[in-house]
PDB file of all heavy atoms in Angstrom:
ATOM      1  N   TRP U 412     135.834 168.782  23.298  1.00 94.00           N
ATOM      2  CA  TRP U 412     135.001 167.703  23.812  1.00 94.00           C
ATOM      3  C   TRP U 412     133.593 168.223  24.102  1.00 94.00           C
ATOM      4  O   TRP U 412     133.414 169.298  24.675  1.00 94.00           O
ATOM      5  CB  TRP U 412     135.584 167.153  25.110  1.00 94.00           C
ATOM      6  CG  TRP U 412     136.753 166.233  24.914  1.00 94.00           C
ATOM      7  CD1 TRP U 412     136.924 165.319  23.919  1.00 94.00           C
ATOM      8  CD2 TRP U 412     137.918 166.130  25.747  1.00 94.00           C
ATOM      9  NE1 TRP U 412     138.112 164.649  24.073  1.00 94.00           N
ATOM     10  CE2 TRP U 412     138.741 165.129  25.188  1.00 94.00           C
ATOM     11  CE3 TRP U 412     138.337 166.781  26.902  1.00 94.00           C
ATOM     12  CZ2 TRP U 412     139.963 164.757  25.757  1.00 94.00           C
ATOM     13  CZ3 TRP U 412     139.537 166.413  27.467  1.00 94.00           C
ATOM     14  CH2 TRP U 412     140.340 165.416  26.904  1.00 94.00           C
ATOM     15  N   ARG U 413     132.593 167.446  23.700  1.00 90.00           N
ATOM     16  CA  ARG U 413     131.218 167.833  24.003  1.00 90.00           C
ATOM     17  C   ARG U 413     130.945 167.698  25.508  1.00 90.00           C
ATOM     18  O   ARG U 413     130.267 168.502  26.114  1.00 90.00           O
ATOM     19  CB  ARG U 413     130.241 166.943  23.219  1.00 90.00           C
ATOM     20  CG  ARG U 413     130.404 167.022  21.710  1.00 90.00           C
ATOM     21  CD  ARG U 413     130.082 168.425  21.182  1.00 90.00           C
ATOM     22  NE  ARG U 413     130.402 168.535  19.761  1.00 90.00           N
ATOM     23  CZ  ARG U 413     131.550 168.989  19.282  1.00 90.00           C
ATOM     24  NH1 ARG U 413     132.486 169.392  20.139  1.00 90.00           N
ATOM     25  NH2 ARG U 413     131.785 169.061  17.994  1.00 90.00           N
ATOM     26  N   LYS U 414     131.478 166.629  26.089  1.00 89.00           N
ATOM     27  CA  LYS U 414     131.350 166.406  27.528  1.00 89.00           C
ATOM     28  C   LYS U 414     132.761 166.229  28.091  1.00 89.00           C
ATOM     29  O   LYS U 414     133.285 165.103  28.104  1.00 89.00           O
ATOM     30  CB  LYS U 414     130.490 165.179  27.824  1.00 89.00           C
ATOM     31  CG  LYS U 414     129.044 165.314  27.384  1.00 89.00           C
ATOM     32  CD  LYS U 414     128.248 164.060  27.728  1.00 89.00           C
ATOM     33  CE  LYS U 414     126.792 164.200  27.317  1.00 89.00           C
ATOM     34  NZ  LYS U 414     126.017 162.960  27.635  1.00 89.00           N
ATOM     35  N   PRO U 415     133.394 167.304  28.537  1.00 86.00           N
ATOM     36  CA  PRO U 415     134.772 167.217  29.025  1.00 86.00           C
ATOM     37  C   PRO U 415     134.912 166.249  30.195  1.00 86.00           C
ATOM     38  O   PRO U 415     134.000 166.102  31.017  1.00 86.00           O
ATOM     39  CB  PRO U 415     135.074 168.657  29.462  1.00 86.00           C
ATOM     40  CG  PRO U 415     134.124 169.506  28.692  1.00 86.00           C
ATOM     41  CD  PRO U 415     132.872 168.690  28.562  1.00 86.00           C
ATOM     42  N   TYR U 416     136.042 165.584  30.234  1.00 91.00           N
ATOM     43  CA  TYR U 416     136.341 164.691  31.349  1.00 91.00           C
ATOM     44  C   TYR U 416     136.707 165.525  32.568  1.00 91.00           C
ATOM     45  O   TYR U 416     137.014 166.714  32.483  1.00 91.00           O
ATOM     46  CB  TYR U 416     137.501 163.758  30.979  1.00 91.00           C
ATOM     47  CG  TYR U 416     137.187 162.856  29.807  1.00 91.00           C
ATOM     48  CD1 TYR U 416     137.586 163.197  28.523  1.00 91.00           C
ATOM     49  CD2 TYR U 416     136.489 161.664  29.998  1.00 91.00           C
ATOM     50  CE1 TYR U 416     137.303 162.367  27.445  1.00 91.00           C
ATOM     51  CE2 TYR U 416     136.203 160.836  28.930  1.00 91.00           C
ATOM     52  CZ  TYR U 416     136.608 161.188  27.651  1.00 91.00           C
ATOM     53  OH  TYR U 416     136.317 160.376  26.595  1.00 91.00           O
ATOM     54  N   ARG U 417     136.715 164.885  33.746  1.00 91.00           N
ATOM     55  CA  ARG U 417     136.973 165.616  34.985  1.00 91.00           C
ATOM     56  C   ARG U 417     138.433 166.036  35.088  1.00 91.00           C
ATOM     57  O   ARG U 417     138.766 167.028  35.725  1.00 91.00           O
ATOM     58  CB  ARG U 417     136.586 164.756  36.185  1.00 91.00           C
ATOM     59  CG  ARG U 417     135.106 164.432  36.237  1.00 91.00           C
ATOM     60  CD  ARG U 417     134.752 163.657  37.479  1.00 91.00           C
ATOM     61  NE  ARG U 417     134.988 164.448  38.697  1.00 91.00           N
ATOM     62  CZ  ARG U 417     134.769 163.997  39.928  1.00 91.00           C
ATOM     63  NH1 ARG U 417     134.303 162.759  40.102  1.00 91.00           N
ATOM     64  NH2 ARG U 417     135.008 164.760  40.979  1.00 91.00           N
ATOM     65  N   GLY U 418     139.319 165.280  34.483  1.00 92.00           N
ATOM     66  CA  GLY U 418     140.739 165.614  34.546  1.00 92.00           C
ATOM     67  C   GLY U 418     141.526 164.816  33.540  1.00 92.00           C
ATOM     68  O   GLY U 418     141.001 163.908  32.881  1.00 92.00           O
ATOM     69  N   ALA U 419     142.806 165.132  33.418  1.00 92.00           N
ATOM     70  CA  ALA U 419     143.656 164.465  32.421  1.00 92.00           C
ATOM     71  C   ALA U 419     143.788 162.971  32.706  1.00 92.00           C
ATOM     72  O   ALA U 419     143.886 162.153  31.782  1.00 92.00           O
ATOM     73  CB  ALA U 419     145.035 165.125  32.393  1.00 92.00           C
ATOM     74  N   LYS U 420     143.792 162.594  33.981  1.00 91.00           N
ATOM     75  CA  LYS U 420     143.981 161.175  34.324  1.00 91.00           C
ATOM     76  C   LYS U 420     142.760 160.335  33.984  1.00 91.00           C
ATOM     77  O   LYS U 420     142.880 159.135  33.734  1.00 91.00           O
ATOM     78  CB  LYS U 420     144.314 161.045  35.809  1.00 91.00           C
ATOM     79  CG  LYS U 420     145.688 161.589  36.173  1.00 91.00           C
ATOM     80  CD  LYS U 420     146.008 161.336  37.643  1.00 91.00           C
ATOM     81  CE  LYS U 420     147.403 161.842  37.987  1.00 91.00           C
ATOM     82  NZ  LYS U 420     147.734 161.608  39.420  1.00 91.00           N
ATOM     83  N   SER U 421     141.590 160.938  33.973  1.00 91.00           N
ATOM     84  CA  SER U 421     140.363 160.179  33.693  1.00 91.00           C
ATOM     85  C   SER U 421     139.970 160.229  32.215  1.00 91.00           C
ATOM     86  O   SER U 421     139.027 159.552  31.800  1.00 91.00           O
ATOM     87  CB  SER U 421     139.210 160.705  34.540  1.00 91.00           C
ATOM     88  OG  SER U 421     138.918 162.056  34.202  1.00 91.00           O
ATOM     89  N   ALA U 422     140.664 161.028  31.437  1.00 93.00           N
ATOM     90  CA  ALA U 422     140.308 161.181  30.018  1.00 93.00           C
ATOM     91  C   ALA U 422     140.559 159.889  29.252  1.00 93.00           C
ATOM     92  O   ALA U 422     141.532 159.175  29.508  1.00 93.00           O
ATOM     93  CB  ALA U 422     141.104 162.316  29.400  1.00 93.00           C
ATOM     94  N   LYS U 423     139.690 159.580  28.316  1.00 93.00           N
ATOM     95  CA  LYS U 423     139.858 158.429  27.432  1.00 93.00           C
ATOM     96  C   LYS U 423     140.330 158.943  26.072  1.00 93.00           C
ATOM     97  O   LYS U 423     139.603 159.642  25.379  1.00 93.00           O
ATOM     98  CB  LYS U 423     138.533 157.672  27.295  1.00 93.00           C
ATOM     99  CG  LYS U 423     138.086 156.991  28.581  1.00 93.00           C
ATOM    100  CD  LYS U 423     136.799 156.197  28.376  1.00 93.00           C
ATOM    101  CE  LYS U 423     136.379 155.508  29.666  1.00 93.00           C
ATOM    102  NZ  LYS U 423     135.110 154.743  29.486  1.00 93.00           N
TER     103      LYS U 423
END
Side-chain angles (χ1 to χ4, degrees):
W412 282 323
R413 300 296 173 266
K414 295 181 179 179
Y416 298 97
R417 296 184 64 181
K420 291 184 178 180
S421 63
K423 293 183 179 179

